[in-house]
Amino acid sequence: MRILLIEDDENLNRQIAQMMRDADYVVDCAYDGEEGHFLGETEPYDAVILDIGLPNMDGVTVLEKWRAAGLKMPVLILTARDRWSDKVAGIDAGADDYVTKPFHIEEVMARIRALIRRAAGHATGTITCGSVALDVKASRATVDGELLRLTSHEYRLLSYLMHHQGEVVSRTELTEHLYDQDFDRDSNTIEVFVGRLRKKIGSECIETVRGLGYRMQAPE
């Protein structure tokens, strides 16, 4: 899953980004409202962590512009403890949830997991597709209860397909959500990762839809 993190406190930005990358998220970082607004408009994200008190363009304005442009990605806002008005303004502008500073980064991660899960229509932290089960919190997957040994890219690919199971997902979309903005993207590597996954979870779980992409669904 690909996350946009917009926080002007460089130390906090770095801490959140590192913990999310350790959990196999792809993270793009911005440090002011203008840069964050641009990235949110031009790159596809599964969720956004947005600080309210940003330089150049405040977080509420960023969010209002995104929603006015029809962008629907889940947004978690970060607010100061004594500014209840920021929470109200953020929610009214289109935020899906908020966390009050100071906070534990684990809480931010839990809320992001929940936002992504709900956006994909899943109610619990474990997503299943036939015999395959994905534990989002633990960042691990099993087949018939047996733990799968996956590389970071294999896990990200499996996670994205399982969150969007039943949907046809193009190679371009997968590439955009598996790599950050600075990575030298090559959609041909997706075929390699899909091939590896099929060997580990069963080829019948991932269907190739000719000319369109891939679809993950439980075998009949």
Side-chain angles (χ1 to χ4, degrees), residues 59-105:
V60 172
T61 300
V62 170
L63 187 51
E64 287 175 338
K65 287 179 175 290
W66 283 341
R67 296 313 192 214
L71 298 174
K72 300 178 180 179
M73 64 281 199
V75 175
L76 173 69
I77 57 173
L78 309 179
T79 70
R81 179 170 51 188
D82 57 346
R83 294 294 298 275
W84 64 266
S85 58
D86 284 349
K87 303 172 189 175
V88 174
I91 296 297
D92 285 344
D96 299 274
D97 199 357
Y98 67 85
V99 174
T100 303
K101 297 179 180 179
F103 51 74
H104 292 287
I105 296 177

Side-chain angles (χ1 to χ4, degrees), residues 102-117:
F103 51 74
H104 292 287
I105 296 177
E106 289 81 357
E107 179 184 1
V108 172
M109 295 181 66
R111 291 181 181 273
I112 283 293
R113 287 194 299 268
L115 289 179
I116 293 174
R117 190 173 66 235

